[in-house]
Amino acid sequence: LGDTARVPYGTKSLGTVERYAIENAKFLESRGIKLLVVACNTASALALPAIRAAVKVDVIGVIEPGAAAAVAVAEGQTIGVIATEATVQSSAYSRAIAKLDDSAQVIEQACPLFVSLAEEGWADSPVAETVAAEYLSEFKPAKLGALVLGCTHYPILNSVIQRTLGSEVPLIDSGEATASEVQ
């Protein structure tokens, strides 16, 4: 279910995200689903416990699989996380990474304009290059072992993000990591 009528979630309050996510989960549950994947990082970060309490099917979010994939490839180096403002403020990725590796260094950065760039089809534009350079500048001196793309929209900007950080930084698509877990 793509809730295109009420996106973006990344700028909304906890209460609003929980309400929308529960409504969506109950709608899908009424259609006979056997498993619910909350593919939105913001909904996973803010509303997963509420969703699990509201439905009777198993629920998987994208935070834990994305964190696990990052820890697996970072090999003790700093892990970067880019996400919406709400996901960054929740510290969901930092907590999930710390559960797996309590010595891991994590740098999180909100990148709200990435959503608009992806939706407008400007992923490989000069504007995207400029925005990426600004958002990702604090990651360059950190020598990242991995960068988590902590928003469903961000893999659309994969090329510009990779060019900005360099080919040596592994990019972790939390959606791909979650798909592997579901499989």
Side-chain angles (χ1 to χ4, degrees), residues 109-153:
Q109 172 69 41
C111 301
L113 291 177
F114 279 179
V115 173
S116 299
L117 291 168
E119 288 191 353
E120 292 295 327
W122 292 6
D124 285 316
S125 71
V127 173
E129 295 281 346
T130 301
V131 171
E134 181 67 29
Y135 281 154
L136 304 175
S137 63
E138 76 174 82
F139 293 116
K140 287 193 172 191
K143 306 272 193 219
L144 296 180
L147 178 74
V148 177
L149 306 179
C151 174
T152 310
H153 289 80

Short mmCIF file of all heavy atoms in Angstrom, two decimals, residues 109-153:
data_model
loop_
_atom_site.label_atom_id
_atom_site.label_comp_id
_atom_site.label_asym_id
_atom_site.label_seq_id
_atom_site.Cartn_x
_atom_site.Cartn_y
_atom_site.Cartn_z
N GLN A 109 22.05 11.98 9.64
CA GLN A 109 21.82 13.26 8.97
C GLN A 109 20.45 13.22 8.30
O GLN A 109 20.18 12.32 7.50
CB GLN A 109 22.90 13.51 7.92
CG GLN A 109 22.67 14.71 7.03
CD GLN A 109 22.78 16.02 7.77
OE1 GLN A 109 23.66 16.21 8.61
NE2 GLN A 109 21.88 16.94 7.47
N ALA A 110 19.61 14.18 8.61
CA ALA A 110 18.34 14.32 7.91
C ALA A 110 18.60 14.93 6.54
O ALA A 110 19.39 15.86 6.40
CB ALA A 110 17.38 15.19 8.71
N CYS A 111 17.94 14.39 5.53
CA CYS A 111 18.10 14.86 4.15
C CYS A 111 16.72 15.06 3.52
O CYS A 111 16.34 14.37 2.58
CB CYS A 111 18.91 13.86 3.34
SG CYS A 111 20.56 13.52 3.96
N PRO A 112 15.94 16.00 4.03
CA PRO A 112 14.55 16.13 3.58
C PRO A 112 14.37 16.46 2.10
O PRO A 112 13.40 16.00 1.49
CB PRO A 112 13.99 17.24 4.47
CG PRO A 112 15.16 17.96 5.02
CD PRO A 112 16.28 16.98 5.08
N LEU A 113 15.26 17.20 1.51
CA LEU A 113 15.09 17.55 0.09
C LEU A 113 15.28 16.35 -0.83
O LEU A 113 14.82 16.37 -1.98
CB LEU A 113 16.06 18.67 -0.30
CG LEU A 113 15.76 20.03 0.31
CD1 LEU A 113 16.83 21.04 -0.10
CD2 LEU A 113 14.38 20.53 -0.07
N PHE A 114 15.93 15.29 -0.35
CA PHE A 114 16.10 14.10 -1.18
C PHE A 114 14.75 13.51 -1.61
O PHE A 114 14.61 12.98 -2.71
CB PHE A 114 16.92 13.03 -0.46
CG PHE A 114 18.41 13.25 -0.50
CD1 PHE A 114 19.25 12.35 0.15
CD2 PHE A 114 19.00 14.30 -1.17
CE1 PHE A 114 20.63 12.50 0.12
CE2 PHE A 114 20.38 14.47 -1.21
CZ PHE A 114 21.20 13.56 -0.57
N VAL A 115 13.75 13.59 -0.74
CA VAL A 115 12.42 13.07 -1.08
C VAL A 115 11.85 13.83 -2.27
O VAL A 115 11.40 13.23 -3.25
CB VAL A 115 11.47 13.13 0.14
CG1 VAL A 115 10.05 12.75 -0.26
CG2 VAL A 115 11.97 12.23 1.26
N SER A 116 11.90 15.14 -2.22
CA SER A 116 11.37 15.96 -3.32
C SER A 116 12.15 15.73 -4.61
O SER A 116 11.55 15.62 -5.69
CB SER A 116 11.44 17.45 -2.95
OG SER A 116 10.65 17.70 -1.81
N LEU A 117 13.46 15.63 -4.50
CA LEU A 117 14.27 15.38 -5.69
C LEU A 117 13.91 14.04 -6.33
O LEU A 117 13.80 13.96 -7.57
CB LEU A 117 15.76 15.40 -5.33
CG LEU A 117 16.33 16.77 -4.95
CD1 LEU A 117 17.71 16.62 -4.34
CD2 LEU A 117 16.36 17.70 -6.15
N ALA A 118 13.70 13.02 -5.52
CA ALA A 118 13.31 11.70 -6.05
C ALA A 118 11.94 11.77 -6.70
O ALA A 118 11.74 11.26 -7.82
CB ALA A 118 13.33 10.67 -4.92
N GLU A 119 11.00 12.40 -6.03
CA GLU A 119 9.64 12.46 -6.56
C GLU A 119 9.52 13.32 -7.80
O GLU A 119 8.67 13.06 -8.65
CB GLU A 119 8.68 12.93 -5.47
CG GLU A 119 8.47 11.87 -4.42
CD GLU A 119 7.33 12.17 -3.46
OE1 GLU A 119 6.75 13.28 -3.52
OE2 GLU A 119 7.02 11.28 -2.66
N GLU A 120 10.36 14.33 -7.94
CA GLU A 120 10.32 15.20 -9.11
C GLU A 120 11.12 14.63 -10.29
O GLU A 120 11.12 15.22 -11.37
CB GLU A 120 10.85 16.59 -8.76
CG GLU A 120 9.96 17.37 -7.82
CD GLU A 120 8.60 17.71 -8.43
OE1 GLU A 120 8.51 17.92 -9.66
OE2 GLU A 120 7.63 17.74 -7.66
N GLY A 121 11.81 13.51 -10.07
CA GLY A 121 12.61 12.95 -11.14
C GLY A 121 13.93 13.66 -11.35
O GLY A 121 14.52 13.61 -12.44
N TRP A 122 14.42 14.33 -10.32
CA TRP A 122 15.66 15.11 -10.42
C TRP A 122 16.83 14.40 -9.77
O TRP A 122 17.79 15.04 -9.34
CB TRP A 122 15.47 16.48 -9.76
CG TRP A 122 14.53 17.40 -10.47
CD1 TRP A 122 13.74 17.12 -11.56
CD2 TRP A 122 14.27 18.76 -10.15
NE1 TRP A 122 13.01 18.22 -11.91
CE2 TRP A 122 13.31 19.24 -11.07
CE3 TRP A 122 14.75 19.61 -9.16
CZ2 TRP A 122 12.84 20.54 -11.03
CZ3 TRP A 122 14.27 20.91 -9.13
CH2 TRP A 122 13.33 21.36 -10.06
N ALA A 123 16.81 13.10 -9.70
CA ALA A 123 17.83 12.34 -8.98
C ALA A 123 19.24 12.53 -9.54
O ALA A 123 20.21 12.48 -8.78
CB ALA A 123 17.48 10.86 -8.97
N ASP A 124 19.36 12.76 -10.82
CA ASP A 124 20.68 12.92 -11.42
C ASP A 124 20.90 14.33 -11.97
O ASP A 124 21.69 14.53 -12.89
CB ASP A 124 20.90 11.87 -12.52
CG ASP A 124 21.16 10.49 -11.94
OD1 ASP A 124 21.94 10.39 -10.98
OD2 ASP A 124 20.56 9.51 -12.43
N SER A 125 20.23 15.28 -11.38
CA SER A 125 20.34 16.66 -11.85
C SER A 125 21.47 17.40 -11.13
O SER A 125 21.94 16.97 -10.08
CB SER A 125 19.03 17.39 -11.59
OG SER A 125 18.86 17.61 -10.20
N PRO A 126 21.88 18.54 -11.68
CA PRO A 126 22.86 19.37 -10.96
C PRO A 126 22.34 19.81 -9.58
O PRO A 126 23.13 19.95 -8.65
CB PRO A 126 23.05 20.57 -11.89
CG PRO A 126 22.69 20.06 -13.26
CD PRO A 126 21.61 19.05 -13.03
N VAL A 127 21.05 20.00 -9.45
CA VAL A 127 20.47 20.37 -8.16
C VAL A 127 20.71 19.24 -7.15
O VAL A 127 21.12 19.49 -6.01
CB VAL A 127 18.96 20.68 -8.28
CG1 VAL A 127 18.33 20.89 -6.91
CG2 VAL A 127 18.74 21.89 -9.17
N ALA A 128 20.49 18.01 -7.58
CA ALA A 128 20.72 16.86 -6.69
C ALA A 128 22.19 16.77 -6.29
O ALA A 128 22.49 16.47 -5.12
CB ALA A 128 20.28 15.57 -7.38
N GLU A 129 23.09 17.05 -7.21
CA GLU A 129 24.53 17.05 -6.90
C GLU A 129 24.85 18.08 -5.82
O GLU A 129 25.58 17.78 -4.86
CB GLU A 129 25.35 17.35 -8.17
CG GLU A 129 25.26 16.34 -9.26
CD GLU A 129 26.11 15.10 -9.05
OE1 GLU A 129 27.01 15.11 -8.18
OE2 GLU A 129 25.87 14.12 -9.77
N THR A 130 24.29 19.27 -5.95
CA THR A 130 24.54 20.34 -4.98
C THR A 130 23.97 19.98 -3.61
O THR A 130 24.63 20.16 -2.58
CB THR A 130 23.93 21.67 -5.49
OG1 THR A 130 24.53 21.99 -6.74
CG2 THR A 130 24.16 22.80 -4.50
N VAL A 131 22.74 19.49 -3.60
CA VAL A 131 22.09 19.13 -2.34
C VAL A 131 22.85 17.98 -1.67
O VAL A 131 23.10 18.00 -0.46
CB VAL A 131 20.61 18.78 -2.56
CG1 VAL A 131 19.97 18.19 -1.31
CG2 VAL A 131 19.83 20.02 -3.02
N ALA A 132 23.24 16.98 -2.45
CA ALA A 132 23.98 15.84 -1.90
C ALA A 132 25.32 16.30 -1.31
O ALA A 132 25.70 15.87 -0.22
CB ALA A 132 24.21 14.77 -2.96
N ALA A 133 26.01 17.17 -2.00
CA ALA A 133 27.29 17.67 -1.49
C ALA A 133 27.09 18.37 -0.14
O ALA A 133 27.91 18.18 0.77
CB ALA A 133 27.92 18.63 -2.50
N GLU A 134 26.03 19.12 -0.01
CA GLU A 134 25.75 19.82 1.25
C GLU A 134 25.38 18.84 2.36
O GLU A 134 25.95 18.87 3.44
CB GLU A 134 24.61 20.83 1.05
CG GLU A 134 24.27 21.63 2.28
CD GLU A 134 25.37 22.57 2.71
OE1 GLU A 134 26.16 23.05 1.86
OE2 GLU A 134 25.46 22.85 3.92
N TYR A 135 24.42 17.97 2.10
CA TYR A 135 23.95 17.03 3.13
C TYR A 135 25.03 16.05 3.56
O TYR A 135 25.11 15.68 4.73
CB TYR A 135 22.77 16.21 2.61
CG TYR A 135 21.43 16.90 2.63
CD1 TYR A 135 20.46 16.50 1.73
CD2 TYR A 135 21.11 17.91 3.52
CE1 TYR A 135 19.20 17.09 1.72
CE2 TYR A 135 19.86 18.51 3.52
CZ TYR A 135 18.91 18.09 2.61
OH TYR A 135 17.67 18.66 2.61
N LEU A 136 25.85 15.60 2.63
CA LEU A 136 26.79 14.51 2.91
C LEU A 136 28.17 15.00 3.31
O LEU A 136 29.06 14.18 3.59
CB LEU A 136 26.87 13.58 1.70
CG LEU A 136 25.52 12.99 1.24
CD1 LEU A 136 25.70 12.19 -0.04
CD2 LEU A 136 24.88 12.16 2.33
N SER A 137 28.38 16.30 3.38
CA SER A 137 29.71 16.84 3.66
C SER A 137 30.28 16.37 5.00
O SER A 137 31.48 16.14 5.11
CB SER A 137 29.69 18.37 3.61
OG SER A 137 28.84 18.90 4.61
N GLU A 138 29.45 16.22 6.02
CA GLU A 138 29.97 15.81 7.33
C GLU A 138 30.40 14.34 7.36
O GLU A 138 31.13 13.93 8.25
CB GLU A 138 28.96 16.08 8.44
CG GLU A 138 27.80 15.11 8.51
CD GLU A 138 26.94 15.36 9.73
OE1 GLU A 138 26.10 16.27 9.66
OE2 GLU A 138 27.13 14.66 10.73
N PHE A 139 29.99 13.56 6.38
CA PHE A 139 30.37 12.15 6.35
C PHE A 139 31.77 11.93 5.78
O PHE A 139 32.43 10.96 6.11
CB PHE A 139 29.38 11.33 5.52
CG PHE A 139 28.01 11.23 6.13
CD1 PHE A 139 26.91 11.77 5.51
CD2 PHE A 139 27.82 10.58 7.35
CE1 PHE A 139 25.65 11.67 6.06
CE2 PHE A 139 26.56 10.48 7.92
CZ PHE A 139 25.47 11.02 7.28
N LYS A 140 32.23 12.82 4.91
CA LYS A 140 33.51 12.61 4.24
C LYS A 140 34.69 12.42 5.20
O LYS A 140 35.47 11.49 5.03
CB LYS A 140 33.76 13.71 3.23
CG LYS A 140 32.89 13.57 2.01
CD LYS A 140 33.35 14.45 0.90
CE LYS A 140 32.57 14.11 -0.36
NZ LYS A 140 33.13 14.73 -1.52
N PRO A 141 34.86 13.26 6.23
CA PRO A 141 36.00 13.04 7.12
C PRO A 141 35.85 11.82 8.03
O PRO A 141 36.81 11.38 8.64
CB PRO A 141 36.07 14.31 7.96
CG PRO A 141 34.86 15.10 7.67
CD PRO A 141 34.15 14.48 6.53
N ALA A 142 34.67 11.24 8.08
CA ALA A 142 34.41 10.14 9.02
C ALA A 142 34.91 8.78 8.53
O ALA A 142 34.95 7.83 9.30
CB ALA A 142 32.91 10.05 9.31
N LYS A 143 35.29 8.64 7.28
CA LYS A 143 35.74 7.35 6.73
C LYS A 143 34.69 6.27 7.00
O LYS A 143 34.92 5.34 7.77
CB LYS A 143 37.09 6.94 7.31
CG LYS A 143 38.16 7.97 7.18
CD LYS A 143 38.89 7.85 5.88
CE LYS A 143 40.14 8.70 5.98
NZ LYS A 143 40.51 9.41 4.86
N LEU A 144 33.54 6.43 6.39
CA LEU A 144 32.42 5.53 6.63
C LEU A 144 32.68 4.10 6.19
O LEU A 144 33.24 3.86 5.12
CB LEU A 144 31.17 6.03 5.90
CG LEU A 144 30.58 7.36 6.32
CD1 LEU A 144 29.35 7.68 5.48
CD2 LEU A 144 30.23 7.35 7.79
N GLY A 145 32.22 3.17 7.02
CA GLY A 145 32.23 1.76 6.65
C GLY A 145 30.95 1.35 5.95
O GLY A 145 30.89 0.32 5.28
N ALA A 146 29.91 2.17 6.10
CA ALA A 146 28.62 1.95 5.45
C ALA A 146 27.77 3.20 5.61
O ALA A 146 27.91 3.93 6.59
CB ALA A 146 27.90 0.75 6.04
N LEU A 147 26.87 3.41 4.66
CA LEU A 147 25.88 4.48 4.76
C LEU A 147 24.51 3.85 4.53
O LEU A 147 24.26 3.26 3.48
CB LEU A 147 26.11 5.59 3.73
CG LEU A 147 25.05 6.70 3.77
CD1 LEU A 147 25.26 7.59 5.00
CD2 LEU A 147 25.07 7.52 2.49
N VAL A 148 23.63 3.97 5.53
CA VAL A 148 22.28 3.45 5.42
C VAL A 148 21.40 4.49 4.72
O VAL A 148 21.35 5.64 5.15
CB VAL A 148 21.69 3.12 6.80
CG1 VAL A 148 20.25 2.65 6.68
CG2 VAL A 148 22.54 2.11 7.53
N LEU A 149 20.74 4.06 3.67
CA LEU A 149 19.76 4.89 2.99
C LEU A 149 18.44 4.67 3.72
O LEU A 149 17.67 3.77 3.40
CB LEU A 149 19.65 4.51 1.51
CG LEU A 149 20.98 4.52 0.73
CD1 LEU A 149 20.75 4.10 -0.71
CD2 LEU A 149 21.66 5.88 0.81
N GLY A 150 18.19 5.49 4.74
CA GLY A 150 17.10 5.26 5.68
C GLY A 150 15.80 5.93 5.30
O GLY A 150 15.08 6.41 6.18
N CYS A 151 15.49 5.97 4.03
CA CYS A 151 14.19 6.45 3.54
C CYS A 151 13.92 5.71 2.24
O CYS A 151 14.84 5.52 1.43
CB CYS A 151 14.22 7.96 3.30
SG CYS A 151 12.72 8.61 2.53
N THR A 152 12.69 5.32 2.04
CA THR A 152 12.32 4.57 0.85
C THR A 152 12.68 5.30 -0.44
O THR A 152 12.99 4.68 -1.45
CB THR A 152 10.79 4.29 0.87
OG1 THR A 152 10.45 3.74 2.14
CG2 THR A 152 10.39 3.34 -0.23
N HIS A 153 12.68 6.63 -0.41
CA HIS A 153 12.99 7.41 -1.60
C HIS A 153 14.49 7.46 -1.93
O HIS A 153 14.87 7.70 -3.07
CB HIS A 153 12.51 8.86 -1.42
CG HIS A 153 11.04 9.03 -1.46
ND1 HIS A 153 10.23 8.76 -0.38
CD2 HIS A 153 10.23 9.46 -2.45
CE1 HIS A 153 8.98 9.02 -0.71
NE2 HIS A 153 8.95 9.45 -1.94
#
